Amino acid sequence: MKIVVQKFGGTSVATPESRRAAYRHIEQAKEDGYAVVVVVSAMGRRGDPYATDSLLSLLESSEASAAPVNLRERDMLMACGEIISAVVFAQELRARGHKVRAMTGAQAGILTSSDFGNARILDVRTDALHKALADGEIAIVAGFQGADEDGDVTTLGRGGSDTTATALGVALHAEVVDIFTDVSGIMTADPRIVDDARQLAQVTYTEICNMAYQGAKVIHPRAVELAMQGNVPIRVRSTMSDDPGTLVTQAARRLEHSSVFDQSVTGIAHTPNVAQIVVRGEGIGSSSIFQLMAEHQISLDFISVTPTEVAFTVPDGLADTAVHHLSQLGYRSQVRRGCAKVSAVGAGMMGVPGVMARIVDALASSGIDILQSADSHTTIWVLVDGSQMADAVRALHRAFQLAEV
Ligand code: ADP
Ligand code: MG
């Protein structure tokens, strides 16, 4: 039995029109002889009635918000959005004449840790899915969720439906996992920011994983890691078209580039809403700041240390907490909120001279100040003011000629 997993994201399940487009992809896969497992997200985005944020707002009423929210129950609530989508998909596909079975994550055998809100998939018990597929049914699985050993409903955190899809793909030895979304594939930068972003025909797991970790939200990095471990190819493609999209595999060295610089960078990613925190003082570099932050589960990024200065970034939302804990230890810190991290990502960057120089030049000539920078074999990061984020992304996209093949 050849199996395909098809995941449909929030905008793809939101309207009757987008759902019809989704059903055509499902029907095409059936016609091509695949057993089909469908993974669905909750319908729409913030503000839509059954979107995850809308469900969560039910706990924010003045009657509810006086007590801290119970995380176990919050997961029960959050899991509802995807269950609603799964049931609607199942019923509409049934009306089109298909045999279908809707399942919650737990019913589909997704066993997770008990970290409510950010649970890890520990195992996928595929019996129920195999049975449905053997019975000729299309399995419609609610994404973003599972259950722990006690049977408590858990959710998988941001991008969780992507993770559901690749975890099922690996567990079922699927031929491919299709991530259907509202763009036609993985592009050299977010097309909402860069008009002439170019679609990549093929990328490696490592490249897209790096892009995703740096903020390219088109697919979640954890989902890519799972697919990489199981060596299951991913295709990122548009619900609304038949474009083949972007194929993500182990080895996809592109031959389409010409110049050295083009080869060095695959894409530009960005993360908004980060705060830069700088702490100065004699001997600060060997202080216990990092341990302190770790104890409070504040994960730091962009860390730079000198004997007299420590700088790092945290998400804007954690800045106050971080500063509070620092001040309790007697450290005075300087905070700059509303920054953005802009990254040039590319496996071919390693050892190529002049990449950093090119970045500095490009930003300087666009009048953008670099607040901090860091680099690894595959990524160069710069921190800029949030108001200059989009300009910085565009400047780097131009500097590396990413719009051109
Ligand atoms: P879904 O609801 O289908 O999961 P997401 O909003 O999570 O969709 O991801 C799709 C979005 O990712 C696109 O609308 C696009 O704005 C954004 N995006 C960011 N970086 C990239 C990139 N490099 N290539 C394509 N899309 C990107
Ligand atoms: Mg997504």
Side-chain angles (χ1 to χ4, degrees):
M1 180 162 47
K2 55 175 193 173
I3 297 175
V4 64
V5 177
Q6 300 191 318
K7 178 252 172 178
F8 294 92
T11 50
S12 308
V13 302
T15 66
E17 187 200 5
S18 62
R19 288 198 293 277
R20 275 196 294 277
Y23 303 149
R24 285 194 286 275
H25 289 294
I26 296 168
E27 285 162 354
Q28 184 63 52
K30 290 291 286 181
E31 270 169 43
D32 294 342
Y34 286 96
V36 185
V37 175
V38 175
V39 174
V40 288
S41 295
M43 290 181 185
R45 303 222 159 113
R46 184 176 277 280
D48 293 331
Y50 307 114
T52 309
D53 287 324
S54 311
L55 299 173
L56 279 176
S57 69
L58 293 169
L59 299 181
E60 288 161 8
S61 71
S62 49
E63 280 79 4
S65 58
V69 173
N70 180 286
L71 296 181
R72 174 181 163 277
E73 288 163 15
R74 191 178 65 166
D75 267 13
M76 294 169 70
L77 179 63
M78 276 204 284
C80 292
E82 281 71 16
I83 297 176
I84 293 170
S85 292
V87 171
V88 171
F89 256 58
Q91 183 57 25
E92 290 181 350
L93 280 164
R94 194 171 288 122
R96 290 166 78 104
H98 300 287
K99 283 177 73 180
V100 288
R101 173 174 291 256
M103 298 180 184
T104 65
Q107 288 167 341
I110 295 174
L111 180 74
T112 74
S113 67
S114 304
D115 307 303
F116 297 112
N118 196 26
R120 299 223 144 226
I121 298 179
L122 303 176
D123 194 12
V124 183
R125 296 176 179 159
T126 53
D127 308 1
L129 278 171
H130 274 304
K131 179 169 186 314
L133 297 181
D135 290 346
E137 292 169 337
I138 301 168
I140 318 281
V141 180
F144 177 65
Q145 58 181 273
D148 67 7
E149 259 168 4
D150 299 329
D152 280 330
V153 174
T154 55
T155 66
L156 306 178
R158 202 176 65 82
S161 292
D162 294 338
T163 309
T164 302
T166 55
L168 293 182
V170 171
L172 295 166
H173 305 289
E175 210 171 278
V176 63
V177 174
D178 280 334
I179 303 288
F180 284 99
T181 183
D182 61 357
V183 284
S184 59
I186 298 171
M187 325 277 261
T188 48
D190 189 338
R192 288 180 211 214
I193 292 184
V194 178
D195 287 337
D196 58 356
R198 184 171 49 84
Q199 186 172 322
L200 298 162
Q202 282 195 36
V203 287
T204 62
Y205 294 119
T206 314
E207 282 171 311
I208 187 53
C209 209
N210 283 330
M211 292 256 302
Y213 270 120
Q214 302 319 322
K217 63 173 281 207
V218 63
I219 186 167
H220 197 274
R222 212 193 281 173
V224 181
E225 274 168 6
L226 284 176
M228 176 157 69
Q229 282 157 18
N231 203 16
V232 175
I234 303 173
R235 255 180 327 198
V236 176
R237 36 194 308 212
S238 163
T239 305
M240 302 310 283
S241 82
D242 286 324
D243 193 296
T246 303
L247 182 66
V248 187
T249 57
Q250 207 77 56
R253 222 29 267 168
R254 287 176 304 287
L255 301 170
E256 55 195 60
H257 290 309
S258 44
S259 89
V260 168
F261 280 123
D262 285 345
Q263 281 179 0
S264 61
V265 173
T266 310
I268 311 298
H270 62 279
T271 309
N273 307 324
V274 300
Q276 182 192 43
I277 298 181
V278 180
V279 193
R280 292 197 184 84
E282 214 51 56
I284 192 82
S286 50
S287 71
S288 53
I289 287 186
F290 298 112
Q291 202 188 333
L292 173 75
M293 293 293 128
E295 275 163 19
H296 294 283
Q297 316 248 311
I298 300 174
S299 78
L300 312 182
D301 204 1
F302 242 127
I303 299 169
S304 96
V305 180
T306 72
T308 55
E309 183 184 292
V310 170
F312 55 84
T313 61
V314 297
D316 265 336
L318 290 177
D320 288 342
T321 318
V323 169
H324 169 76
H325 292 305
L326 287 167
S327 69
Q328 288 210 317
L329 276 198
Y331 296 116
R332 290 231 347 261
S333 42
Q334 189 186 319
V335 188
R336 181 169 181 150
R337 293 183 178 74
C339 298
K341 192 166 131 179
V342 175
S343 323
V345 181
M349 186 183 287
M350 194 163 31
V352 177
V355 177
M356 189 62 179
R358 220 172 198 207
I359 289 177
V360 172
D361 278 357
L363 295 177
S365 58
S366 300
I368 297 163
D369 289 330
I370 299 177
L371 305 175
Q372 209 177 321
S373 76
D375 67 290
S376 76
H377 307 320
T378 56
T379 308
I380 294 179
W381 302 266
V382 294
L383 190 70
V384 300
D385 190 75
S387 64
Q388 297 187 311
M389 177 182 79
D391 281 340
V393 173
R394 287 189 280 260
L396 297 188
H397 196 263
R398 251 192 330 272
F400 292 98
Q401 296 159 3
L402 293 176
E404 294 149 41
V405 175

